[in-house]
Each structure stands twice: as structure tokens, then as C-alpha cells.
Amino acid sequence: MTAATIAPTRLRNCARLGVRLGLAALAIGAFSAFGTPAYARGPEGIADVAEKVIDAVVNISTSQTVEAKGGGSNTMPQLPPGSPFEEFFDDFFKNRRGPGGGSKGGENSPPRKTNSLGSGFIIDTSGVVVTNNHVIADADEINVILNDGTKIKAELVGVDKKTDLAVLKFNPPKPLVAVKFGDSDKLRLGDWVVAIGNPFSLGGTVTAGIVSAKNRDISSGPYDSYIQTDAAINRGNSGGPLFNLEGEVIGVNTLIISPSGGSIGIGFAVPSKTVAGVVDQLRQFGELRRGWLGVRIQGVTDEIAESLNIKPPRGALVAGVDDKGPAKPAGIEPGDVVVKFDGKDVKDPKDLSRVVADTAVGKEVDVVIIRKGQEETKKVTLGRLQDPDKVQAAVKTDEPAPEKPVTQRALGLDLAALSKDLRTRYKIKDSVKGVVVTNVDANSDAAEKRLSAGDVIVEVAQEAVSSGADIQKRVDQLKKDGKKSVLLLVSNGDGELRFVALSVQ
């Protein structure tokens, strides 16, 4: 199929489908007139909202110069993910046949420009625009296209990759319409919302739906807390606003889940509470300045909660404390469980990560912890989170195995006292103290909890151990006390700690 036949073919298919759908629509319309209440058709205010805010929604056009990878004039451009042109170019370049089509071309093909389109919205009549970072990432040139088609070059103010947000600035050629942020915390499940954007380069598209879920964590970043909606969101909607029926922005449309590439009614928006804070900092500093507590945390499972006498299971378990972080001088220790931070309840580690990041650098806050079953309050002055973006690759070397150490079995583990040979074999730092795991029974609870050879057990039930006999003694005592599980403090070779609860039954 050539490029010239793509659109007509699709139009013919849509026309045939339209005949069938037209009959169905007649039947539905007749039923609605007699049997369906007015509210089933949706709220009356959607048209008013769209008319009020449409001029504040813009298209974002970017261009990027990419190196050709061979293939002559028929090389497939390297488009940013989610570009509305991606499907068109895929059809065109993979199926094109003609003069030179499919040929290898020259190896020294010149660089070429690729284009992509997304959405954004004006929050200040001076020309300040909010969009997604992935819409403008790596762009050589960014243009804002107003609702009337006016195209203006924009400059990048700042980006935050962790929340996938960006702020742009352009010089307005005429008076602008701006929109305000609403309170996303006030949203309820089932509330009506309106999405406006530029799907598949069809600018000024309005869709409506409801809030399907709140505080959705889809593991896309450290601060996930998305609004889920069934309002139709497609490629090109990224960076566009999600409105409530007051015409306030309560989210930025960012992600969809779709096996087909089109909307299936599962879209995600960054809530306005997060967006407003990020945008304020990007406008003020050109970067994000997040709070830092200086702890490594993990979830409190039912087994860990039982071991620490925490009912019900909640909070963020401190697995390690940074020696140079704010938590250290405040007296927070590994094994503490943070249940409240600056007056806000902490239900899980994600809650703590978000509230710490949103707290101003240098602010003194109260941190409520549970230690050995008792609540304590610590005062912490937050530091600033640094983002080095460094990836370290572990280098494996083949070394001859030393003599097998003397081991003792407990909890499905082979355990040995730390020696120079074992430190060398498992690359364990001299600062790490405890009992090293040399083997894990594949059918044990320890294997299921991902303990492995080279891990070092530092504490058992919050008491330091130095031999396999120490561990067995503690386990035997816990069994006598009727405990169902034992809490281990486990270190890797670099000294990074985590807690693991194993069954003693």
C-alpha cells in the first residue's frame, strides 16, 4: 500500500462501518427518548467548560536532527515514542516501493530532521506553558501552536524527569487565555472530567469521562500517584490538561495503557497538586529542589509487622541510614518504622517518598517512628535530594574457589562466619559484619524472599550475630516464645541493608 492509498482506504472502511452504526444509533436514540433519564447522557456543563478553556490549550510541535543510519532516502526516521506520525511513517517507509525504494542507499546519508506533536496548556498570560517532558525531550526546536493556528517559537524553562513535566515560555503575539489549577485532592471517584488535546495531530479535540481511580501507582516512577480516567486519551494527548467541570486543571494527561496503541479507556494524569508544586519550582529555579531524609526504606509486610509488634501493618521500614543524611543526627536507626511525617500519615514507602520530596529543603519536621513497639517523635531538618543519574555496572571475574568453609544450617540457609576468603569470594566490604550465607535451599522461605549466597545476616530479631550458632540460638528461642517468623537484617556486599522476615515454623 502506498502513502497515497492509506487515507482513502481507511475512509472507505469507516464509511461502510458508519452505515451499520447509523442503524444502531437510531435504535439507541429511540430508547433514550423514552426510557433513559437525562443524567445518563452526561453532565450539561461539558460544552461550557470546553468553550471556556479551549483557547488555553495548545499544540506542541518539536523538531529534532537525527543521524541517518544508512538506507538512503528510504531510511525510517527515528521518531520520539508516541509521536502521532509514528504509524504513518511505519506504513510509508516499510511498504513503499518505487524509484530507489528498498535500496540500501549510501552509508554517508546526511542527518535529517524529524517532527513530533503533543499537547500543552497556558497557565500564565505572559506565555507560560505546561506540558510533558517526553513531548519535548531532545528537541532542537520547540513551537507552540495556538488554537487559531498561530505558531510561535518557545524556549525551555525547565524539566522534571521524575514526574515527566516541563515548562515552556514564549512571547505572545496577542492577548492569551490562561487556565488555573484546581485541587486534585477534592476529586471523587465518578466525578466527570474533560480532556482537551492534540490526538493524532487533530488539535482542539475534546473528550469526557469520569475519574476511575485516584493515587494509582503503576511503577513508572518514584512518585507515582496518578488520576486514572476513562476519558479518551490517545497519542498526541500527552501534556494536555484534564479539567473538572469548573474549568480548572486537575491533571496533566501523561500515559495510557493500550495493547492497540489507541484509547481503551485507561488513561493516567499527573494530579494538579503535584503539577503545581513542580511548575512553581521550575519557574523559580529552573530545576527541582526536593527534600531528602537520607534513609533507605522498604514495605512493612505482615510478617515484618508481626516481628516488630506493629498492628495493623503500616508505615515505611528504615532499612538503612545514610551517614551524611539528615536522619542520622536526628537519631533515626535501621529497624525504625516511620508512620507519620510532618503531620501526615505514612501508610507505605511510596507515601513517605512523596511527602519528603514535596517538603521544602531546610524545613524542620516531626517524624513519628515505631521502635520496639513504642512510638517516638524525632525532629529532622531536611536536606536536598541530589540526582546523580549514575549507573554502575558490576564486573564479574572468574576466580578459583577457595576451600569450602565450615557451615551451619538454619532457616534453609548454609551459614558461615566471615573470613578473608569469603569476603574476597563474595566481594564483601570490610565494614560489613555478621554471618555470610553460602547456600540457599531452593524450596525454602529464604529462597522465596530472594536471599542468596553472599548476603550477610547482620541482626536476628534486632540483635547482632557473628556466627551460625548465634542465629540458631535466636531462632530456637523465638520458636519457644511462639513466634511465627523471625526478622533478619540483611546486608549485601556493599553494606546496603534490608529487612527480611522468614518463617520459623
Side-chain angles (χ1 to χ4, degrees), residues 241-258:
L242 189 69
F243 292 101
N244 60 20
L245 294 186
E246 301 298 320
E248 299 168 328
V249 177
I250 46 84
V252 176
N253 301 317
T254 300
L255 296 167
I256 62 171
I257 291 179
S258 172

Side-chain angles (χ1 to χ4, degrees), residues 2 40 76 104 146-147 192 199 211 228 273 277 340 363 389:
T2 67
M76 172 72 175
K104 292 183 178 179
L146 303 180
N147 189 44
W192 280 89
V211 174
Q228 181 181 329
K273 182 178 180 180
K340 186 172 288 189
K363 182 179 180 181
D389 280 335

Side-chain angles (χ1 to χ4, degrees), residues 3-120:
T5 63
I6 292 174
T9 300
R10 289 177 180 167
L11 287 173
R12 287 197 298 271
N13 290 341
C14 289
R16 287 196 294 268
L17 181 61
V19 173
R20 295 194 296 270
L21 290 178
L23 296 175
L26 285 174
I28 293 171
F31 177 78
S32 298
F34 297 100
T36 304
Y39 64 78
R41 298 191 299 269
E44 298 294 337
I46 290 178
D48 294 332
V49 172
E51 185 176 2
K52 176 182 176 182
V53 302
I54 190 71
D55 287 334
V57 182
V58 299
N59 300 341
I60 307 294
S61 170
T62 67
S63 63
Q64 177 186 2
T65 302
V66 297
E67 295 293 331
K69 297 183 179 180
S73 61
N74 290 310
T75 300
M76 172 72 175
Q78 302 301 304
L79 299 176
S83 166
F85 293 125
E86 192 172 34
E87 183 181 355
F88 169 78
F89 278 119
D90 188 60
D91 288 342
F92 180 70
F93 280 91
K94 289 186 178 179
N95 299 310
R96 181 181 180 186
R97 295 293 182 267
S103 64
K104 292 183 178 179
E107 291 297 326
N108 297 318
S109 300
R112 66 181 71 246
K113 278 198 172 186
T114 62
N115 300 288
S116 64
L117 291 170
S119 305

Side-chain angles (χ1 to χ4, degrees), residues 402-409 413-419 421-422 425-426 434-439 466-469:
E403 290 185 21
K404 189 174 181 179
V406 176
T407 62
Q408 180 169 342
R409 286 190 62 79
L413 304 169
D414 287 350
L415 305 164
L418 274 170
S419 65
D421 284 343
L422 289 174
R425 182 196 299 185
Y426 295 116
V435 182
V436 65
V437 176
T438 60
N439 185 61
S466 58
S467 68

Side-chain angles (χ1 to χ4, degrees), residues 218-391:
I218 59 174
S219 301
S220 68
Y223 309 120
D224 279 15
S225 183
Y226 290 106
I227 300 167
Q228 181 181 329
T229 177
D230 65 354
I233 298 171
N234 289 284
R235 294 179 179 182
N237 271 111
S238 288
L242 189 69
F243 292 101
N244 60 20
L245 294 186
E246 301 298 320
E248 299 168 328
V249 177
I250 46 84
V252 176
N253 301 317
T254 300
L255 296 167
I256 62 171
I257 291 179
S258 172
S260 65
S263 174
I264 60 169
I266 304 178
F268 301 98
V270 182
S272 60
K273 182 178 180 180
T274 299
V275 179
V278 169
V279 167
D280 285 345
Q281 288 206 33
L282 290 179
R283 293 181 69 180
Q284 184 175 356
F285 307 117
E287 62 180 356
L288 258 290
R289 298 182 179 181
R290 290 189 167 94
W292 178 52
L293 185 57
V295 295
R296 292 188 301 277
I297 54 177
Q298 64 183 79
V300 179
T301 65
D302 290 341
E303 293 168 315
I304 290 176
E306 191 266 342
S307 300
L308 295 175
N309 296 318
I310 296 176
K311 295 179 182 180
R314 67 191 189 281
L317 176 62
V318 177
V321 179
D322 193 306
D323 287 336
K324 298 180 180 179
K328 184 82 170 180
I332 295 176
E333 302 173 355
D336 292 341
V337 177
V338 180
V339 293
K340 186 172 288 189
F341 182 92
D342 198 18
K344 302 177 181 66
D345 290 334
V346 175
K347 299 177 183 178
D348 55 41
K350 281 280 189 180
D351 280 349
L352 183 60
S353 296
R354 284 192 289 263
V355 70
V356 170
D358 290 343
T359 304
V361 176
K363 182 179 180 181
E364 184 181 72
V365 298
D366 288 337
V367 181
V368 179
I369 63 169
I370 296 178
R371 179 181 295 172
K372 296 183 178 180
Q374 301 296 318
E375 281 196 3
E376 299 181 21
T377 300
K378 304 291 184 182
K379 287 193 175 294
V380 181
T381 301
L382 287 193
R384 180 181 172 186
L385 178 66
Q386 301 298 321
D387 188 11
D389 280 335
K390 294 180 180 178
V391 179

